[in-house]
């Protein structure tokens, strides 16, 4: 099916027949809520009729003798209801329990609004996602969200909480934690949880609240955990760039929510899982995993995933507070992905290929007789159109159509990672892989795609992944700058070895270092200064300890890293590191027998350096600095201060690592403390200062 004129395209894409829709849709039907959603006017509040009893009770005044009945801070997506929708205030007669009866079961005296019914949690459970009337609880209150679900773009997400408490979900969607949103939720109140199901504080018992993360997969204990729920973790420094391909179990994990559970039968090819593509005419096409595997050519692409928050902790340490996960240098990993080209699937679904777009943009007549393009069909510019990618939990983002269909762009729908089935944490059964771009666009657990003439309105498109000037502060104008797509050049030190340790490193990394023959300090002598003063001649201490360094360098947009500069004296003098991994396109090796797949340089290049730290009389700390240059001669900024933004994105300044070696014997140094992003936590430097 040929793409249609862009203005009509989006509204058509957004139509889903089965659901009532707001009059004007500006995003795909499944687009989750953005901040804009929660600022919609809650007109229902004023239009709400009284509940069945006819008495307009003040539901916010209900209270327990022993508790505040607030139920904690709520966050809700509820505010985008169409103004004309009616609240649902039906009592479930079967579920309602008279307040007097239930009050006797608990020591808590129930003096909440007596005009509203009480419900046992077992009855709330019956109103789960499969029920025609889904309910949720929040705190000690029960809400009927039936009419809200079809009206809300994130309706499917909230259905996950149906029959249970919504609170753990709103703890994840923290942007909704406002009184304003909570007031809107109150318009759906149908009753209270029966006191028999409440603890002595009048709150639901902890064990009765389902943990959205209960079914997350087990993780490798070597990963450094930033947050457990949702899971965010990075590989430890020495493992980070040890291999060209990061082992799956050590690949960094960046989850905004829970890990969706996909029918295990998928492995036998019989799963109910389907990738839905919304067509311009509002129809949908579905592809099973088997369809994808059997109907399209398979491709492999070796590519880095990098979060825009990589090295954020470095920016925080050097400049000041940043908002976001405080990643070290490990929000980056490299893998070989396997799947089918997004462009092939889009073409099969009826969208134009890159060639057709190119032909159509120059042709006066229709592209070809088989396409449904008419004479008056305007040819949309793929640069102004966007491919929306949505995951099963709620996450979504978009990339320009021109990226999606670029024949050299290697955008994949991937099911394989390093020759294995995509692990659950990384998107099983299907994820987008958008090489050279910020990993936020590589949507995991991908199950919906649509082409539209506006980019995604999700917060992960409109908000989180943008950068600002150092002066633009914590509340920047988010609409002023484009969403991040291709990434700039960066590099990092991931391993530091000094003296004897450097020799050890040499045996595993082919580095050649001089051997040092020094007398050992007696066992137990840790402090070099005291011992050295007594036993070592000053001229001997002036010996510069050997150092071996290793790390990675990477540039977005398919640019190849061509040089890595290293300084061991804080940037006064420089040398060049040895680059591993060719970083070239299809068929080129990494120098160690590993093939690299893809049309451009999507992978990182690891580097090694053998040199000396400055001579140190008493084991003073040295500063190691690294910076990379790509084939377009893009370089890294010298300071984090010059690229500081309160969001802490793209902290790509020269990577500086403080190395405090220890001399355990005459001229015999060992690594000692290593401070910096990805190493030990150091006190904030703040010496760069905010500019
Ligand atoms: N896709 C979904 N569905 N949910 C997510 O939370 N996180 C994004 C992206 N895709 C995310 C997602 C972000 S911000 C990053 S950095 C990468 O996934 C991380 O991919 P990884 O966990 O495989 O390293």
């Amino acid at each position: 099916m040929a793409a249609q004129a862009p203005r009509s395209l989006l509204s058509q894409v957004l139509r889903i027949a089965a659901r009532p829709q707001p009059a004007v849709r500006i995003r795909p039907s499944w687009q989750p809520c953005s901040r804009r959603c929660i600022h919609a006017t809650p007109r229902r509040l004023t239009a709400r009729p009284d509940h069945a009893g006819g008495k307009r009770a003040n539901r916010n005044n209900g209270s327990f003798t022993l508790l505040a009945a607030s139920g904690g801070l709520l966050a809700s997506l509820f505010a985008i209801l169409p103004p004309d929708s009616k609240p649902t205030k039906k009592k479930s007669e079967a579920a309602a329990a008279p307040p007097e009866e239930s009050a006797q079961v608990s020591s808590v005296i129930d003096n909440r609004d007596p005009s509203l019914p009480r419900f046992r949690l077992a009855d709330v459970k019956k109103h789960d996602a499969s029920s025609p009337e889904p309910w949720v609880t929040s705190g000690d209150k029960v809400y009927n969200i039936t009419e809200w679900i079809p009206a809300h773009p994130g309706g499917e997400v909230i259905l996950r909480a149906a029959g249970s408490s919504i609170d753990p979900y709103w703890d994840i969607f923290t942007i909704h934690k406002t009184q304003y949103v909570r007031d809107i939720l109150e318009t759906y109140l149908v009753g209270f949880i029966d006191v028999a199901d409440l603890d002595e504080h009048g709150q639901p018992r902890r064990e009765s609240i389902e943990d959205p993360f209960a079914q997350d997969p087990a993780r490798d204990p070597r990963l450094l955990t930033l947050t457990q729920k949702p899971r965010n973790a990075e590989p430890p420094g020495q493992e980070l760039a040890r291999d060209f391909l990061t082992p799956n179990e050590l690949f960094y994990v960046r989850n905004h929510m829970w890990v969706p559970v996909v029918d295990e039968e998928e492995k036998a090819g019989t799963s109910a899982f389907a990738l839905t593509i919304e067509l311009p005419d509002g129809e949908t096409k579905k592809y099973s995993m088997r369809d994808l595997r059997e109907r399209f050519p398979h491709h492999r692409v070796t590519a880095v995933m990098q979060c825009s928050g990589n090295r954020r902790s470095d920016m925080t340490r050097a400049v000041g507070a940043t908002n976001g996960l405080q990643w070290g240098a490990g929000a980056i990993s490299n893998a070989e992905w396997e799947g089918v080209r997004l462009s092939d699937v889009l073409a099969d679904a009826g969208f134009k290929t890159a060639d057709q777009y190119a032909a159509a943009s120059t042709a006066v007549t229709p592209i070809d007789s088989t396409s449904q393009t008419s004479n008056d069909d305007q040819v949309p510019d793929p640069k102004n159109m966007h491919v929306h990618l949505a995951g099963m939990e709620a996450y979504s983002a978009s990339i320009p159509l021109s990226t999606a269909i670029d024949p050299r762009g290697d955008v994949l729908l991937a099911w394989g990672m390093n020759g294995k089935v995509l692990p659950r944490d990384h998107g099983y059964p299907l994820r987008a892989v958008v090489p050279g771009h910020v990993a936020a666009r590589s949507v995991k657990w991908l199950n919906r795609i649509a082409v539209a003439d506006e980019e995604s309105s999700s917060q992960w498109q409109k908000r989180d992944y943008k950068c600002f000037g150092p002066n633009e502060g914590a509340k920047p104008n988010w609409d002023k700058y484009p969403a991040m797509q291709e990434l700039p050049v960066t590099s990092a030190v991931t391993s530091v070895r000094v003296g004897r340790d450097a020799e050890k490193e040499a045996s595993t990394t082919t580095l050649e270092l001089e051997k040092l023959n020094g007398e050992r300090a007696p066992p137990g002598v840790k402090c070099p200064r005291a011992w050295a003063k007594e036993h070592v001649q000053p001229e001997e201490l002036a010996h510069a300890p050997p150092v071996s360094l290793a790390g990675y360098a990477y540039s977005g947009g398919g640019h190849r890293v061509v040089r890595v500069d290293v300084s061991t004296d804080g940037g006064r003098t420089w040398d060049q590191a040895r680059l591993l991994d060719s970083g070239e396109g299809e068929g080129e090796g990494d120098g160690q027998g590993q093939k690299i797949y893809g049309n451009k340089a999507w992978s990182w290049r690891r580097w090694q350096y053998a040199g000396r730290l400055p001579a140190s009389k008493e084991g003073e700390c040295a500063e190691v600095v690294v910076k990379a240059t790509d084939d377009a001669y893009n370089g890294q900024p010298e300071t984090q201060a010059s690229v500081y933004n309160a969001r802490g994105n793209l902290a790509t300044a020269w990577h500086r690592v403080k190395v405090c070696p220890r001399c355990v014997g005459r001229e015999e140094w060992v690594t000692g403390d290593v401070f910096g992003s990805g190493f030990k936590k150091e006190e904030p430097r703040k010496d760069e200062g905010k500019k």
Side-chain angles (χ1 to χ4, degrees):
M1 178 172 302
Q4 307 204 345
R7 293 304 137 211
S8 61
L9 180 66
L10 181 60
S11 53
Q12 290 171 5
V13 165
L14 301 176
R15 212 168 12 91
I16 282 194
R19 292 184 173 171
Q21 300 291 320
V24 181
R25 304 277 324 212
I26 54 156
R27 52 187 177 265
S29 54
W30 37 266
Q31 185 72 61
C33 190
S34 66
R35 246 163 241 258
R36 185 167 52 179
C37 301
I38 61 170
H39 293 302
T41 309
R43 286 171 57 187
R44 287 170 52 100
L45 270 180
T46 52
R48 192 184 71 169
D50 292 336
H51 67 82
K55 186 174 124 205
R56 171 78 192 220
N58 180 355
R59 273 111 202 175
N60 291 327
N61 288 343
S63 64
F64 284 99
T65 301
L66 302 180
L67 69 137
S70 72
L73 264 183
L74 272 190
S76 166
L77 295 165
F78 284 53
I80 60 131
L81 279 164
D84 56 346
S85 54
K86 298 272 188 315
T88 302
K89 301 294 289 178
K90 288 179 201 152
K91 286 182 193 176
S92 166
E93 277 147 33
E100 308 78 37
E101 259 175 50
S102 49
Q104 291 163 8
V105 182
S106 167
S107 59
V108 176
I109 297 167
D110 183 352
N111 55 8
R112 297 168 295 178
D113 181 351
S115 68
L116 285 176
R118 273 55 175 160
F119 301 103
R120 296 300 304 263
L121 283 179
D123 294 313
V124 174
K125 229 182 177 55
K126 290 179 195 156
H127 292 264
D128 65 7
S130 63
S131 153
E133 275 196 30
W135 290 6
V136 294
T137 64
S138 179
D140 67 320
K141 295 175 181 169
V142 181
Y143 303 89
N144 182 336
I145 58 170
T146 310
E147 290 191 0
W148 170 78
I149 301 265
H152 195 284
E156 287 166 30
V157 179
I158 204 61
L159 264 183
R160 217 185 121 96
S164 180
S165 172
I166 203 174
D167 293 336
Y169 294 91
W170 298 149
D171 281 343
I172 303 166
F173 295 96
T174 49
I175 61 161
H176 299 90
K177 284 191 167 187
T178 65
Q179 185 60 44
Y180 176 79
V181 174
R182 193 172 157 173
D183 288 345
I184 293 160
L185 178 61
E186 290 305 312
T187 66
Y188 295 89
L189 185 70
V190 288
F192 295 99
I193 296 176
D194 193 296
V195 287
D197 288 324
L198 299 176
D199 65 14
E200 69 276 18
H201 306 292
Q203 292 300 302
R205 294 186 188 92
R206 189 177 283 221
E207 61 276 13
S208 71
I209 296 180
E210 277 171 25
D211 177 3
F213 300 95
Q215 299 196 63
D216 271 17
R219 276 92 182 204
D220 192 297
R222 286 171 294 172
L223 286 170
L224 306 175
T225 303
L226 280 86
T227 60
Q228 195 67 255
K229 298 177 180 185
R231 178 64 169 179
N232 288 294
E234 62 183 297
Q238 64 279 15
E239 306 279 354
L240 178 55
R242 187 193 293 284
D243 301 305
F244 174 63
L245 298 180
T246 315
N248 289 359
E249 62 278 10
L250 288 178
F251 205 93
Y252 85 99
V253 181
R254 172 69 180 107
N255 294 343
H256 288 82
M257 286 156 263
W258 55 92
V259 177
V261 179
V262 178
D263 184 357
E264 281 299 302
E265 285 179 62
E266 164 51 32
K267 286 176 185 151
T270 57
S271 165
F273 171 83
L275 172 69
T276 301
I277 302 200
E278 294 187 13
L279 300 176
D281 63 3
E283 294 302 309
T284 58
K285 282 209 169 178
K286 286 189 187 282
Y287 296 88
S288 68
M289 288 302 296
R290 180 170 279 176
D291 291 336
L292 294 176
R293 282 203 178 90
E294 293 181 358
R295 292 184 40 204
F296 301 96
H298 292 194
H299 291 275
R300 276 192 262 184
V301 172
T302 319
V304 148
M305 287 284 161
Q306 184 184 208
C307 187
S308 69
N310 192 27
R311 297 183 51 209
R312 181 179 282 131
S313 63
D314 211 9
M315 185 177 272
T316 305
R317 196 166 45 89
V319 191
T322 59
N323 177 16
L325 293 166
Q326 294 300 307
W327 295 103
I332 182 170
S333 298
N334 193 42
E336 183 185 294
W337 309 95
E338 186 180 2
V340 293
R341 287 206 170 121
L342 171 60
S343 55
D344 289 347
V345 181
L346 285 178
D348 183 83
F351 294 100
K352 288 186 178 75
T353 62
D355 286 350
Q356 286 173 316
Y357 273 109
S361 65
T362 50
V364 180
T365 48
I367 300 167
D368 61 53
S369 54
T370 55
S371 83
Q372 292 165 21
T373 312
S374 65
N375 271 335
D376 57 359
D377 189 23
Q378 294 168 34
V379 177
D381 179 351
K383 282 200 207 79
N384 296 330
M385 298 180 70
H386 306 265
V387 177
H388 293 228
L389 306 160
M392 289 178 209
E393 1 79 295
Y395 186 90
S396 66
S398 64
I399 55 174
L401 179 61
S402 53
T403 302
I405 60 175
D406 177 358
R408 289 180 51 75
D410 289 322
V411 179
L412 284 192
L413 305 180
W415 58 70
M417 182 173 172
N418 293 330
K420 297 185 182 136
V421 175
L422 197 61
R424 286 187 61 212
D425 258 332
H426 301 290
Y428 174 83
L430 193 70
R431 82 174 296 168
V433 173
V434 189
H437 286 58
V438 65
R441 310 293 164 236
S442 290
V443 174
K444 303 191 275 190
W445 312 294
L446 180 72
N447 69 345
R448 280 164 297 181
I449 297 178
V451 180
D453 57 1
E454 284 188 20
E455 68 171 3
S456 165
S457 62
S458 79
Q459 77 174 91
W460 304 287
Q461 190 78 16
K462 293 283 190 190
R463 301 264 164 166
D464 292 352
Y465 299 103
K466 293 190 176 181
C467 253
F468 301 90
N471 59 311
E472 289 184 273
K475 290 190 175 160
N477 175 359
W478 290 97
D479 298 329
K480 198 169 164 192
Y481 301 111
M484 231 178 260
Q485 294 285 353
E486 290 182 352
L487 286 170
V489 60
T490 192
S491 62
V493 180
T494 61
S495 164
V496 180
R497 301 269 182 240
V498 181
R500 268 194 293 142
D501 290 347
E503 289 179 58
K504 274 193 227 146
E505 180 84 345
S507 61
T508 55
T509 60
T510 71
L511 292 175
E512 284 183 12
L513 291 169
E514 267 177 64
K515 285 211 164 194
L516 294 173
N517 304 311
E519 219 179 87
R520 291 242 171 139
V525 175
K526 292 262 167 51
C527 169
R529 295 179 198 195
W531 184 81
K533 266 189 189 144
E534 235 178 276
H535 295 89
V536 185
Q537 299 305 311
E539 60 276 14
E540 288 174 318
L541 271 173
H543 198 94
V547 65
S548 80
L549 306 168
Y552 64 77
Y554 166 75
S555 189
H559 289 292
R560 179 176 181 242
V561 168
V562 294
R563 201 183 75 225
V564 169
D565 303 320
V566 176
S567 169
T568 57
D569 57 10
R572 276 184 294 283
T573 61
W574 293 92
D575 201 353
Q576 277 66 53
R578 187 162 82 90
L579 286 171
L580 311 178
D581 321 316
S582 79
E584 299 278 17
E586 189 90 42
E588 291 288 336
D590 69 341
Q592 295 169 331
Q594 178 65 56
K595 267 197 160 190
I596 299 176
Y597 296 95
N599 286 309
K600 296 186 187 173
W602 308 123
S603 290
W604 59 17
R605 298 193 75 177
R606 292 167 304 149
W607 56 266
Q608 291 176 342
Y609 181 76
R612 286 185 180 278
L613 294 177
S616 162
K617 291 214 166 138
E618 293 188 347
E620 286 105 357
C621 302
E623 190 180 57
V624 162
V625 189
V626 65
K627 64 186 173 78
T629 302
D630 73 15
D631 58 5
Y633 284 96
N634 294 307
Q636 298 176 236
E638 184 173 340
T639 63
Q640 297 288 19
S642 67
V643 285
Y644 174 81
N645 58 99
R647 197 66 187 76
N649 278 328
L650 302 182
T652 59
W654 299 0
H655 193 206
R656 297 166 189 273
V657 167
K658 193 163 116 190
V659 181
C660 305
R662 285 200 198 101
C663 177
V664 294
R666 187 178 292 191
E667 297 176 351
E668 196 164 358
W669 297 84
V670 293
T671 299
D673 296 323
V674 182
F675 295 101
S677 172
F679 297 96
K680 268 191 177 171
K681 198 161 179 256
E682 190 188 5
E683 283 303 298
R685 286 210 312 268
K686 302 280 170 62
D687 51 357
E688 286 185 4
K690 266 184 230 174
K691 301 227 163 85

